[in-house]
Amino acid sequence: MEQMNELINKIKYDEKGLVPAIAQDVTTKEVLMLAYMNEESLKKTIETGMATYFSRSRGQLWQKGETSGHVQTIKGIYYDCDADTILLKVEQTGPACHTGSYSCFFNPIVKEEKKAGAEILQEVYNTVLDRKANPKEGSYTNYLLDKGIDKILKKVGEETAEVIIAAKNEGNEELRYEASDLLYHLIVLMVNKQLELKDIYEELLNRR
């Protein structure tokens, strides 16, 4: 605890006793949100293992997800080279943004190139989650979510059959296409059932 206090004392707070705190998804590395902490909220975050911030508008501490259930479980806490910014590596439950988006940073100024790694699964999941919170007219995702579990399961079954057929054919182009369709519909099913990708990652990790 003494060593912990020494580290906390290195943090450089501003004139209001606050320091910006960035929350990052520990699995996908996606930046989720920016909030502020004071010394008390930082200590509480460390003690409870749950992200707790200081509300500048209300002038009081608030634990992320205390009303919504979208809590942030702490996996690591770091401060930068100048000790004036904190980085929280968290396990996010549900969306981090009050709009229903997984991350608060969903308004691009300059958009990065599309990802080609496993992160795309989380990106698709986040998009489906955003469609659920912010329906878009003409969206196929919203069509599935509105129709409900039976329609989603029917599509998962159909796409599974398409994957089997594609796998029997020569080459992999058709299989690549159908497998992508199946993964998309599985993600829609997961969002509908409130099952997160991290739950799948943990299950696979336990099977190693």
Side-chain angles (χ1 to χ4, degrees):
M1 181 60 72
E2 183 178 347
Q3 184 179 12
M4 184 70 69
N5 287 331
E6 287 180 7
L7 291 173
I8 291 175
N9 290 335
K10 289 184 178 181
I11 302 299
K12 297 175 184 176
Y13 300 94
D14 64 16
E15 65 279 1
K16 296 180 180 179
L18 302 176
V19 60
I22 299 167
Q24 179 188 43
D25 188 306
V26 69
T27 302
T28 66
K29 312 306 178 188
E30 184 173 7
V31 176
L32 301 176
M33 56 179 281
L34 169 67
Y36 288 83
M37 288 181 156
N38 60 9
E39 185 173 344
E40 183 183 1
S41 67
L42 176 56
K43 287 181 177 178
K44 188 165 185 179
T45 295
I46 294 170
E47 290 169 2
T48 64
M50 309 300 292
T52 302
Y53 303 101
F54 181 82
S55 171
R56 294 175 296 169
S57 60
R58 299 194 304 270
Q60 63 185 43
L61 302 189
W62 63 283
Q63 180 182 302
K64 176 64 178 174
E66 59 189 344
T67 56
S68 67
H70 301 156
V71 297
Q72 293 175 344
T73 304
I74 299 298
K75 297 300 180 180
I77 302 177
Y78 303 82
Y79 59 84
D80 72 343
C81 54
D82 294 321
D84 60 3
T85 304
I86 292 173
L87 173 65
L88 306 176
K89 294 194 176 184
V90 305
E91 184 178 272
Q92 176 69 45
T93 299
C97 185
H98 72 281
T99 64
S101 294
Y102 189 69
S103 168
C104 292
F105 297 95
F106 56 86
N107 294 304
I109 296 176
V110 178
K111 199 168 185 178
E112 77 276 16
E113 294 182 9
K114 289 187 176 181
K115 305 179 181 68
E119 317 91 77
I120 192 66
L121 292 176
Q122 186 65 60
E123 186 175 305
V124 173
Y125 187 96
N126 294 348
T127 299
V128 176
L129 205 61
D130 182 64
R131 288 289 183 272
K132 184 177 181 181
N134 305 292
K136 186 176 180 181
E137 186 176 354
S139 165
Y140 176 64
T141 299
N142 282 127
Y143 165 76
L144 290 175
L145 292 171
D146 290 342
K147 288 294 183 180
I149 187 69
D150 288 340
K151 181 63 175 180
I152 296 170
L153 290 175
K154 183 174 183 291
K155 289 301 299 181
V156 169
E158 290 174 357
E159 296 303 335
T160 301
E162 293 291 342
V163 167
I164 294 170
I165 294 169
K168 296 288 287 182
N169 296 332
E170 293 293 329
N172 286 329
E173 283 302 309
E174 186 180 356
L175 178 59
R176 170 181 172 175
Y177 182 86
E178 298 299 345
S180 298
D181 273 353
L182 176 57
L183 284 172
Y184 160 75
H185 286 91
L186 280 173
I187 287 174
V188 174
L189 175 62
M190 289 171 62
V191 170
N192 180 268
K193 296 290 291 184
Q194 298 182 340
L195 180 68
E196 298 184 39
L197 282 171
K198 68 180 179 63
D199 298 319
I200 305 301
Y201 298 149
E202 288 171 1
E203 179 63 27
L204 292 173
L205 182 64
N206 291 336
R207 295 185 183 190
R208 288 200 310 183

